[in-house]
Amino acid sequence: MTQHVRDIMTGELVTVEPQASVASVARLMRDEDVGTVLVTEDGRLKCLVSDRDLVVRAFAEGVDPDQTTVIQAASDDLVTIGPDESVDHAVELMREHAVRRLPVVEGDEAVGIIALGDLAIERDETSALGDISAAESNR
């Protein structure tokens, strides 16, 4: 039986508006214990920003983190998937686009996110990646 993205996606999303500063987004990531934030405008998904995006595209460039907006640091090649797509298709998209996370969308609205760790747990929770992904955060 085909398993669908909605069966394993995370439905609790952390979102910000495009004009949020990278400093505020970094604090939000810390406080919410997440590595990815979805950037939305009027409820519509615009892009995704990861902790790596903030480091590579903002902090390492020496920009003022309070004056630089998250949209300036975000990944601009957004790859998404629908909740009724198969988990196998999610794996294919991640492999094809070399991404670790896929926003799950219905129309333009984000309804979840699926991460490489979610897939690892689902496929083999005893694998090293599955075991690490299932572990509690040590903040």
Side-chain angles (χ1 to χ4, degrees), residues 37-103:
V37 172
L38 299 179
V39 181
T40 60
E41 189 170 41
D42 299 324
R44 296 175 54 214
L45 179 64
K46 302 295 281 183
C47 59
L48 165 146
V49 67
S50 69
D51 46 9
R52 185 176 191 287
D53 291 332
L54 295 183
V55 170
V56 172
R57 294 194 181 110
F59 302 130
E61 295 297 323
V63 301
D64 182 342
D66 291 311
Q67 298 300 314
T68 303
T69 64
V70 70
I71 202 80
Q72 294 171 292
S75 300
D76 57 359
D77 55 340
L78 186 63
V79 180
T80 63
I81 193 164
D84 295 321
E85 297 282 339
S86 72
V87 170
D88 289 339
H89 185 62
V91 171
E92 290 170 16
L93 284 174
M94 286 181 172
R95 184 176 289 131
E96 178 182 339
H97 296 280
V99 295
R100 295 178 184 97
R101 300 167 188 98
L102 291 172

Side-chain angles (χ1 to χ4, degrees), residues 4 9 13 16 18 25 27 30 33 45 48 53 57 60 70 73 78 81 85 106 108 111 116 118 122 125 132 139:
H4 296 99
M9 71 181 194
L13 301 176
V16 296
V25 173
R27 286 189 297 274
R30 177 200 61 205
D33 194 25
L45 179 64
L48 165 146
D53 291 332
R57 294 194 181 110
V70 70
L78 186 63
I81 193 164
E85 297 282 339
E106 286 186 305
D108 290 335
V111 295
L116 184 60
D118 299 325
E122 184 59 34
E125 64 185 31
I132 292 166
R139 282 213 235 187

